[in-house]
Amino acid sequence: MAIQTLNPATGKVIKTFEEYSSRQVSKIIDDVQESFYPWKNMSFAERSALMNNAAMLLRNKKTSMVNY
């Protein structure tokens, strides 16, 4: 069964997503949990550096999309 996002003003379908199986959901949960522990054990300075880098990448992508 596909899941759709709708524009509430128009009722128009914006995007359709395929539903994940139980196995796919379990794999995602396991992957997220596995990724959490290294993140949890990082210092605030290390996490801050990563988040600042992610912010810079998003700003650069936004700028490049404006010029697209």
Side-chain angles (χ1 to χ4, degrees):
M1 176 179 172
I3 300 168
Q4 298 179 328
T5 56
L6 303 174
N7 178 329
T10 64
K12 181 179 175 185
V13 174
I14 296 171
K15 190 163 184 175
T16 301
F17 301 89
E18 291 304 316
E19 188 174 337
Y20 286 161
S21 68
S22 294
R23 180 177 282 181
Q24 288 171 308
V25 171
S26 292
K27 170 95 171 82
I28 291 167
I29 291 169
D30 290 344
D31 290 348
V32 169
Q33 187 169 11
E34 187 177 316
S35 300
F36 169 72
Y37 292 108
W39 180 262
K40 176 184 171 190
N41 294 322
M42 275 186 205
S43 70
F44 180 80
E46 291 171 309
R47 284 185 273 169
S48 175
L50 290 171
M51 295 303 293
N52 283 324
N53 187 50
M56 180 189 68
L57 292 170
L58 290 170
R59 281 199 273 317
N60 289 343
K61 183 170 179 78
K62 177 183 171 187
T63 301
S64 69
M65 294 302 289
V66 168
N67 296 326
Y68 189 80

